[in-house]
Amino acid sequence: MKLKVESASTLREFISSLGEDTLYAFDRRVVGVAVNNKKLWDSAKLKPGDTVVIFPIIVGG
């Protein structure tokens, strides 16, 4: 899922604005998040216009 940041926030605030299920998956590391093609900390500051990509983590065994 590819999203654009509308207003300034932290990465965690942005993820939580997408819903409780998305935040839970993010906290459990079931999904990965890249901001402008970089992995950032939860506390990273996002600016309007930044691109956030959320993708599932696929594990094989």
Side-chain angles (χ1 to χ4, degrees):
M1 177 173 20
K2 190 174 189 177
L3 304 163
K4 286 278 188 187
V5 176
E6 298 293 325
S7 60
S9 65
T10 64
L11 179 56
R12 182 163 182 79
E13 290 169 346
F14 181 78
I15 296 295
S16 68
S17 74
L18 300 175
E20 196 173 305
D21 293 337
T22 307
L23 181 59
Y24 180 78
F26 178 70
D27 286 342
R28 293 288 176 198
R29 303 293 187 228
V30 177
V31 295
V33 177
V35 179
N36 298 329
N37 297 321
K38 296 178 185 172
K39 184 161 172 38
L40 300 177
W41 291 100
D42 297 358
S43 60
K45 304 275 186 196
L46 303 181
K47 300 176 293 213
D50 284 346
T51 302
V52 178
V53 178
I54 301 174
F55 54 91
I57 301 295
I58 300 171
V59 179

